[in-house]
Structures are given as structure tokens and as C-alpha cells.
Amino acid sequence: MIKLAPSILSADFNILGEQMEATKRAGATWAHFDVMDGSFVPQISFGNPVLRSLRKKTDLFLDVHLMVVNPERKIRSFADCGADMITFHYEATDDPGACIAAIEETGKKVGMAIKPGTPVEVVKPFINRLDMLLIMTVEPGFGGQKYIQASTNRIAKARQMFSEMGLDTDIEVDGGIKRDNVDVVLRAGATVIVAGSAVYSGDVYENARSFVDHFKEWDAAH
Ligand code: DX5
Ligand code: ZN
């Protein structure tokens, strides 16, 4: 099943709760939560208190994308604040295996992210331990960037790696995904689609609805 994970980074924070509810009414079941530390990436976004507050009001699956250095230090606190899945960056740690173990210990779903320049093969030693691989389709750091075309082959390669191991692990794509290029990543094998500006600018309900309806059709046809 293809899932939409609207990235709240592009939401209007004055009415964040309402906008997230609109995505839910439209059929979204996930929300993507981008944590930026001003070090792994240039910007600072939001962190634990915001997540804790959202968790109180929403039953959306909270997909936490940690763009922070030394993620192993932060995993426990994000789990305690209500994350359902925690995704760390392979490039942000000296010990990806320890990060995976730390997430496993919290009982949350395990995600690992790779930047556009990181070979997908780095995933191999950890392939059995991941619930999801996040393939960045822009350089992490900002919403509203353009999809990097070379990502398509990377998604396909990762999908093949999982298939060869008999795994149907989720592949999430993040960055520059719009209604008019989403089929490219679906065809390559992505199953979780992050969309920030494509959902949260303009009519949030209609934008989310358009993706969700399309994914239903896609699931029915595949
Ligand atoms: C970028 C973030 C993304 C961002 C995507 O570093 O990880 O989740 O919100 O935004 P769009 O969909 O606008 O490219
Ligand atoms: Zn993200």
C-alpha cells in the first residue's frame, strides 16, 4: 500500500493542528516531522516539545526524520515524545548499527536515511534491520527544492536490493515530489511519499486528497 506522509515543515504553524487534521480527513495516515539541528543541515526547525504537543491531539502515524548530528543521543527523547518511527541519517553517525539498536530498544519502527550523494549499497549491512529506507531526493535542509533526477535509479536499485533479499521493506522518498512527478518514484519502487510544499501550500485538503486518491488507484492497478 502506498502511503502519503505530508511534511509539516511547509505547514502554517499558526494553524498546524487544523492543517494536519485536513490531511487526515483527506485520507492521509502519516505525518512527516522534519527535525533539523542547524548543524547536520543549516536550518533549525522544531523538536521534542512540538512533537509531544502534536502527539496529544493526533493519531496520525508520526514519522520523525532526524536531520541531526549524533542521532543516537536523541532517539530516546523522540520516542518518549510520541514518535512512531524514527529515521536517522547514515551520514550523521559513526555507528549506524548502534542507532538502529537504540531505536529497536524503544520499540519504535526503524528508519535509515541516505543523502543524494551516498551510495545505496551502504544499506546492505543493515538491510534486515530496517522497517524503512528513506532515500533523499533533494539535499536535506529545505522544503520546496527540485527533485534530483538521478534519484530515480537509486530508488530502483534499492528496491532491487530488497527484493533480492526477499524483503518488501518500505522505501520513502523525500524532496521535490509533486502530483506531476510522483508516478516516476512509484514506478521505481517507492512506497512512502513525503510531500511538503505540494500538500501544505494552497488548499491542504484538496492537495492531500489528490495524492491519496491517486495512490488508491495505483494500489488497485498493481
Ligand atoms: C527536506 C525535508 C523534507 C521537506 C520536503 O530536508 O526532509 O521533508 O519538507 O519538502 P518538499 O516536499 O517541499 O520538497
Ligand atoms: Zn524529511
Side-chain angles (χ1 to χ4, degrees):
M1 224 178 69
I2 309 295
K3 293 168 282 276
L4 176 67
S7 168
I8 65 165
L9 191 62
S10 293
D12 178 349
F13 296 117
N14 292 295
I15 50 166
L16 177 56
E18 275 169 49
Q19 288 196 328
M20 286 174 74
E21 275 309 299
T23 69
K24 192 185 161 185
R25 266 190 286 116
T29 54
W30 286 37
H32 184 80
F33 190 90
D34 284 308
V35 182
M36 301 179 173
D37 67 350
S39 183
F40 183 70
V41 289
Q43 280 204 110
I44 295 174
S45 59
F46 38 69
N48 299 75
V50 178
L51 184 66
R52 194 186 305 116
S53 162
L54 295 176
R55 176 76 297 166
K56 282 187 194 150
K57 282 277 166 66
T58 188
D59 61 359
L60 288 167
F61 182 88
L62 295 176
D63 166 31
V64 173
H65 176 195
L66 294 182
M67 285 166 274
V68 306
V69 293
N70 301 126
E72 49 275 25
R73 296 188 200 155
K74 309 281 185 252
I75 285 161
R76 169 57 63 184
S77 66
F78 281 96
D80 289 346
C81 289
D84 291 302
M85 171 168 310
I86 300 177
T87 299
F88 68 94
H89 266 270
Y90 172 83
E91 304 85 0
T93 174
D94 294 331
D95 194 348
C99 290
I100 293 172
I103 304 170
E104 284 168 345
E105 215 169 283
T106 67
K108 308 299 180 181
K109 299 269 189 228
V110 177
M112 187 164 86
I114 52 173
K115 298 205 285 182
T118 302
V120 292
E121 288 79 7
V122 303
V123 173
K124 276 192 180 153
F126 313 104
I127 199 161
N128 278 307
R129 298 171 71 191
L130 302 179
D131 294 301
M132 187 174 82
L133 172 66
L134 166 50
I135 298 183
M136 288 304 301
T137 47
V138 297
E139 286 298 334
F142 302 93
Q145 303 180 74
K146 201 169 165 298
Y147 177 78
I148 297 172
Q149 295 297 337
S151 306
T152 312
N153 280 334
R154 292 163 51 74
I155 301 161
K157 200 175 199 179
R159 177 52 68 208
Q160 195 186 336
M161 270 169 42
F162 284 120
S163 299
E164 281 167 4
M165 296 287 292
L167 299 167
D168 65 349
T169 309
D170 273 325
I171 295 178
E172 182 175 59
V173 288
D174 185 3
I177 313 289
K178 312 279 171 200
R179 246 327 253 105
D180 64 8
N181 66 357
V182 71
D183 282 2
V184 172
V185 294
L186 292 176
R187 253 182 257 125
T191 49
V192 182
I193 311 300
V194 176
S197 45
V199 166
Y200 280 109
S201 45
D203 187 327
V204 176
Y205 173 83
E206 287 302 332
N207 294 339
R209 186 70 198 269
S210 163
F211 278 103
V212 169
D213 286 351
H214 183 60
F215 296 165
K216 280 185 197 149
E217 285 166 21
W218 181 274
D219 283 332
H222 291 82

